[in-house]
Each structure stands twice: as C-alpha cells, then as structure tokens.
Amino acid sequence: MRYVSTRGEVPACGFEDALFAGLAADGGLFVPAHWPRFDREALATLQGQSYQQVALAVLRPYVGDALTRDQLAAMIDAAYAGFGHAAIAPLRQLAANDWLLELFHGPTLAFKDVALQLLGRLFEHFLQARERAITIVGATSGDTGSAAINACAGRERMRIVILHPAGRVSEVQRRQMTTVTAANVHNVAIEGSFDDCQALVKALFGDAAFRERQNLAAVNSINWGRIMAQIVYYVTAALALGGPWRQIAFAVPTGNFGDVYAGYAAARMGLPIAQLIVATNQNDILARCIQTGSYRAGTVMPSISPSMDIQVASNFERLLYDLYDQDGTAVATLMNEFARIRACTLTPDAHGRLCEQFAAARVDEAATAAELAASFRATGQLIDPHTAVGLHAGRLCRANPAVPLVALATAHPAKFPDAVEAATGIAPQLPARLANLMNLPERYATLPNDMAALEAHIEALAPA
C-alpha cells in the first residue's frame, strides 16, 4: 500500500513513512493511494470472528509489507489485552432497531484508546528497528491526550508532548493526563481553544527545521494510523447486526471528523453503510457545511461536550480529496482559501456527493442535557454528553427506521460527572482502577498561544 497527500505535491510513500510523518510536507494529509475492497462474501467470512481477528483482516491491506502477518497480529492482541470487555467494542440494544456501540472499555475510558493502544505499539516497533527516537506532539480537546499518554508512557525512544486548552477540558480528562508520572510524558495547557492547540501542532510540523531537529511525530487523528484502526469497529458492529447482507446507519459524535471518516473508509472498503450521521454540538461547522455547502469557521464555544468544541475539522480535508476526484491541486486551493479567510464553499457537485453519504445535525446544550435525562429514564443507564449528542442527532437525521441505527458511545459518563449529574441527578462513578485519580498530584506547564514559546519549551525538555 502506498500513501499520497491530499494536496498532491509530495511523492507517494509507504505505511511506515506515512505513520511517522503524520502531516505531509505540503500541508496535506496522507490517504491510501487506493481503497482495499472486500466483497460481501469476504466480509461474510469475518462473521463470528473475534474483534482481534477482524482487525487483522481489515488492517493488513493498509500495512502492506511493512509488517509480517504475525507481527501485526501480536500488536493487535497486545493493544486490546487490557480492555475491560471481551468484545472490545460491544453493542448494547436501546430499542428494537436502535443500538449503542460502546467504545469506552479501554484504559482511559474513551474511544481514542481503540486506535492509540495500537499506534503506540506501531511506533515502538518501527523505532526499535530504525534505532531512532521521536518527539510525539498532539493537541487534545479532552480524550486524545490521555489515550495517547497511556499508550506511550514509559516506552523507549519516544517522548510525548500533549497540548490541551487551559480550563476547557473536564477535570477528569485533565487529570488523566497530568497525573501520569512517566519521565517521557509532558503536558502543556495552552491559553486558548482546542483550535489554537491544533493550529500550534500543525505549525510545529510546518517548521521544517524544528520538525527535523526534534524528529516530530503526530498522534492526532491527522495520523493515518488512527483512522485505520477505527475502521475496525464499524465492521464488527455491522457484521453483528446482519451485515454484509443488510445496510446499517451510524450516528457519530463529531469534532475533528476522524471517527466518522473511519466510517466512510469502511464504506469505501465495501461495508454496506446506508447513512453516516455527523452529530455536532453548538460548534457546528460540519453540520452547516453538510447542510449548505459552506465550510465557514466560527468562534469556539465551550460546551458540556468539550471533546467536540472544534471549529476547524482537520480530517474533513481527507473527504474533500475524494469529493474533488483526488485532485490535490483543487484541495490545496480550497484549503489555502480557508486558511486565508476562514471560509470556503464546496462546488455544487462536491456538495451533492457529500450529501449522498452524510447527514448532519447541530445539538445545542439544552437538547444535550435533555437527551442525557431521557436516555437514563428510558434505559436506566447513564451516557456521556458526547454520546447524547450522537443519539439526538441520529433521531433527527435518520432516513429509514427499518435500517438499524448505531450511535457511537465515545466516552464513559464518569469522565463528565458534572454534566451527567446536572441532567440526571446521578453522579457517575469512575471504575475502581481510577478511583484515586482526583487525589493524585498534577504536573503540567501553562503557556501562551505562541509558537516561539512552545518551541522553546519543547527544546528545553529532556531528549527521548
């Protein structure tokens, strides 16, 4: 498998190079040069297999000859050995044709664990083979940071620097990052929004000299390894509900567009997905774009679903690459316009193709809180605010009630105890393994939203 940039100005590369580069040198994102295809018969052979077995079948075409089958299988088995449910991503039935896909059974209680537990092992394997070290830099709106830190803490040949927006993640989310004592873990609170953090990370990768000097690598969903690993749970969910012989719809709480793009990738591979519903909170750039064709950034508004407080959805560029017929020049022109004026407009043809697969809804704070309460009354189970956004948007956008609808439950409710308790009157409890989290000392730096200050801070850290 070869990987190409969405902006078309760099040579194609192999899996390992795409994994470490994260962002392409021309500012684009790496995508597969072609989509591997599974026909219905091939998908049917995966029915009844374990999550790990399905992962091996789905991921092998993307890895190509960078790993042997046995090497990849061993990494997959190790990545999911610590999950709290044997199914890794179990389905829970809500109604006759409505389901939750529980993605929070990993070590940090969020869907990011599914990809990052594997990504950390991939990094470690290739670093040992190359005898080199890297500095991993990432921005988080809440969950990516803790999942990346958990996956990389204590591993040789890597140090990890995670930026989070100061005061804009939940206390549980922050403490899951800042209480980790491993010497290779460094947390930075940026005085700004997640979009500011994300822009700083992109700028670090855009500084060629700094990037080379620090051997930068990415763990945000701009990294293809993240997207690749997330394809798997769409496949396992669809197969459990009658795929490949029936269509399935998915409602996905969406911020940076990585998770729902993994669903699109599954569809490109041949999974019969009837509809992908993009569920946004009041930070609704994606909902507006899908509804109108205008991709226009607004001001980030803090919410009770903070992992979605994003107005620049980086992975949307990957979808634009297909919507514009893999024309890197057209994508670069569009993205340069967006960078210049914070807005761009899709062509009527691209917008029409977007709407063939995707629907979208904006779910405000009141509706999110109401969904938290309604879901608890109906099922007796607590959900987190991001999952509530997904459930509500799924109800608004569902095209065919006869098609099973799977809403992605992206985080454990105990990661957002204040919002959940305010809506339901019930305070969700952390699992026993995290019960002492609120008593542990924290360790992090606070920096202004300034590129020079951040580069100086990273330069001063102990090497990997």
Side-chain angles (χ1 to χ4, degrees):
M1 174 64 75
R2 304 292 287 172
Y3 290 86
V4 297
S5 168
T6 52
R7 302 191 188 184
E9 296 179 8
V10 296
C13 65
F15 174 74
E16 184 179 345
D17 288 335
L19 189 77
F20 280 110
L23 193 71
D26 60 2
L29 304 182
F30 284 109
V31 292
H34 69 274
W35 291 105
R37 292 284 297 176
F38 285 65
D39 60 26
R40 288 189 174 188
E41 288 70 23
L43 286 168
T45 65
L46 301 177
Q47 288 179 320
Q49 295 193 22
S50 69
Y51 188 93
Q52 292 87 336
Q53 290 169 322
V54 174
L56 181 60
V58 170
L59 300 184
R60 280 197 73 197
Y62 292 110
V63 172
D65 60 4
L67 296 169
T68 68
R69 184 184 188 281
D70 288 346
Q71 286 172 330
L72 180 58
M75 289 184 201
I76 290 169
D77 288 345
Y80 302 124
F83 277 56
H85 196 290
I88 310 303
L91 284 162
R92 177 159 64 87
Q93 191 165 16
L94 300 177
N97 225 15
D98 295 355
W99 305 79
L100 275 185
L101 180 60
E102 294 184 346
L103 301 174
F104 51 73
H105 292 286
T108 71
L109 311 181
F111 80 99
K112 310 293 177 74
D113 289 321
V114 177
L116 285 164
Q117 285 295 314
L118 180 60
L119 189 63
R121 287 164 172 83
L122 288 166
F123 277 157
E124 187 172 51
H125 171 85
F126 290 124
L127 288 173
Q128 288 174 348
R130 290 185 178 191
E131 296 186 345
R132 59 173 288 211
I134 58 172
T135 297
I136 298 167
V137 180
T140 186
S141 54
D143 290 329
T144 290
S146 57
I149 286 169
N150 185 279
C152 298
R155 295 192 183 277
E156 295 183 7
R157 301 182 182 274
M158 60 181 80
R159 64 176 178 177
I160 182 167
V161 181
I162 295 294
L163 316 184
H164 71 267
R168 296 197 184 193
V169 300
S170 78
E171 186 176 7
V172 171
Q173 288 176 312
R174 188 189 73 243
R175 285 179 171 273
Q176 282 187 307
M177 297 184 285
T178 60
T179 60
V180 176
T181 58
N184 69 327
V185 171
H186 307 278
N187 285 284
V188 179
I190 295 294
E191 295 171 336
S193 68
F194 169 76
D195 285 352
D196 295 325
C197 296
Q198 183 168 250
L200 285 170
V201 169
K202 287 186 174 182
L204 291 178
F205 279 88
D207 182 339
F210 181 83
R211 176 178 179 167
E212 182 175 352
R213 197 161 61 243
Q214 296 296 321
N215 290 320
L216 293 189
V219 291
N220 277 73
S221 56
I222 61 172
N223 189 302
W224 172 254
R226 285 273 308 274
I227 303 295
M228 174 187 81
Q230 291 171 298
I231 297 170
V232 178
Y233 49 70
Y234 286 93
V235 177
T236 60
L239 293 178
L241 295 176
W245 310 113
R246 71 189 303 201
Q247 291 192 317
I248 312 295
F250 291 91
V252 187
T254 305
N256 215 19
F257 204 73
D259 202 6
V260 74
Y261 181 80
Y264 169 79
R268 291 301 307 264
M269 293 182 72
L271 197 70
I273 296 179
Q275 192 179 24
L276 288 166
I277 297 169
V278 174
T280 76
N281 63 16
Q282 58 193 3
N283 296 286
D284 61 348
I285 181 173
L286 288 167
R288 287 184 282 111
C289 182
I290 292 169
Q291 290 163 0
T292 70
S294 175
Y295 186 62
R296 183 177 298 274
T299 301
V300 175
M301 296 182 287
S303 76
I304 60 173
S305 49
S307 297
M308 300 157 65
D309 291 349
I310 295 170
Q311 286 282 358
V312 180
S314 288
N315 282 289
F316 192 53
E317 181 171 336
R318 284 187 159 113
L319 180 64
L320 291 173
Y321 182 70
D322 273 5
L323 297 179
Y324 281 77
D325 295 316
Q326 297 83 47
D327 183 344
T329 301
V331 173
T333 299
L334 201 67
M335 291 294 92
N336 289 336
E337 180 184 4
F338 181 80
R340 189 175 67 255
I341 63 172
R342 302 275 289 176
C344 60
T345 301
L346 277 59
T347 64
D349 179 64
H351 182 233
R353 294 166 67 180
L354 171 65
C355 295
E356 289 175 4
Q357 182 84 72
F358 294 88
R362 175 187 192 271
V363 182
D364 64 20
E365 297 289 85
T368 303
E371 190 68 42
L372 286 168
S375 179
F376 179 66
R377 287 195 302 269
T379 68
Q381 299 281 335
L382 296 173
I383 58 173
D384 91 290
H386 306 78
T387 304
V389 171
L391 282 173
H392 193 78
R395 188 176 304 111
L396 293 175
C397 296
R398 187 178 201 165
N400 185 352
V403 172
L405 176 63
V406 177
L408 274 56
T410 53
H412 192 288
K415 297 196 78 168
F416 308 93
D418 295 341
V420 174
E421 184 175 13
T424 67
I426 305 295
Q429 299 300 306
L430 286 167
R433 67 181 185 275
L434 294 175
N436 194 42
L437 181 66
M438 308 307 282
N439 300 319
L440 297 174
E442 295 186 81
R443 179 172 61 94
Y444 63 97
T446 300
L447 294 178
N449 178 22
D450 179 78
M451 174 75 163
L454 178 59
E455 286 192 343
H457 178 78
I458 295 173
E459 295 269 21
L461 298 175

